[in-house]
Amino acid sequence: MLNPIDVDAVVRDGGASGRVPEQIHSGVAWWLASCFVVVTRANQLVVAHDGHEASSEFFDRMCRGAINARHYACKVYDHGIAKEDELLTAMTALGGVPGMRVKTDSGDDGAQVVTITLYGKEGKPLTDESGLILIRQMISEDQVPIPVNEHARGTIEPYPGVMWR
């Protein structure tokens, strides 16, 4: 792992969260998304963010990780800036596909805290029992999946019906 993190401290509570750059960096978004696609066996995924500058950087890496997950050739639907309920509606509209959302808040000391939430097909944040423990294990053992060949690479497409801002 090029830039290690404390996986147990960061990957928890439905996704990953931490102070930038002390606890979390944008590479974590790539690792998390790639592992999430493999664990959920997703061939489609909806992603969104809150529009914050830090969120946008993590969002970009998250999308790239999701399309580079072994042989899944995941189609990533970019919902852009969206609230949680908008993401959940999009996931349902596509037939119950998983989703991911990035948001950035300010900590008590003013530091940026980035949170990436992973949502299973039923629209609930991932738990240890529904796959988060496997993702944590894959990252901690540096077993982050990569595509088996160029044909296995997924695509990033705009979510249908989203008017780009």
Side-chain angles (χ1 to χ4, degrees):
M1 188 179 310
L2 290 176
N3 194 354
I5 60 166
D6 181 345
V7 178
D8 292 330
V10 173
V11 181
R12 58 181 166 64
D13 303 329
S17 185
R19 295 165 43 103
V20 178
E22 298 88 18
Q23 296 176 312
I24 194 170
H25 54 81
S26 60
V28 174
W30 196 102
W31 303 338
L32 199 65
S34 182
C35 293
F36 181 57
V37 167
V38 171
V39 166
T40 60
R41 299 178 178 183
N43 59 6
Q44 292 184 62
L45 179 69
V46 184
V47 295
H49 63 94
D50 65 358
H52 192 282
E53 185 177 333
S55 297
S56 295
E57 178 184 351
F58 278 74
F59 177 80
D60 180 60
R61 295 294 297 273
M62 184 175 73
C63 290
R64 293 177 192 281
I67 65 169
N68 285 293
R70 288 195 187 138
H71 61 277
Y72 288 93
C74 187
K75 184 183 292 186
V76 175
Y77 287 105
D78 178 348
H79 201 307
I81 299 170
K83 295 178 182 175
E84 181 184 45
D85 62 328
E86 294 171 321
L87 173 66
L88 296 173
T89 298
M91 291 166 51
T92 301
L94 288 172
V97 301
M100 300 177 73
R101 184 170 184 269
V102 183
K103 72 174 186 157
T104 302
D105 295 306
S106 292
D108 295 336
D109 59 358
Q112 292 182 337
V113 176
V114 170
T115 301
I116 303 167
T117 305
L118 310 174
Y119 299 92
K121 295 176 181 178
E122 72 290 337
K124 302 219 182 301
L126 226 57
T127 63
D128 281 351
E129 294 76 24
S130 62
L132 199 59
I133 198 165
L134 295 173
I135 292 171
R136 195 167 36 247
Q137 181 179 357
M138 290 171 75
I139 294 171
S140 68
E141 294 175 359
D142 206 16
Q143 298 296 319
V144 178
I146 58 172
V148 292
N149 59 47
E150 192 60 34
H151 297 291
R153 193 172 313 277
T155 60
I156 302 170
E157 301 178 15
Y159 175 71
V162 170
M163 297 298 292
W164 292 102
R165 300 160 180 99

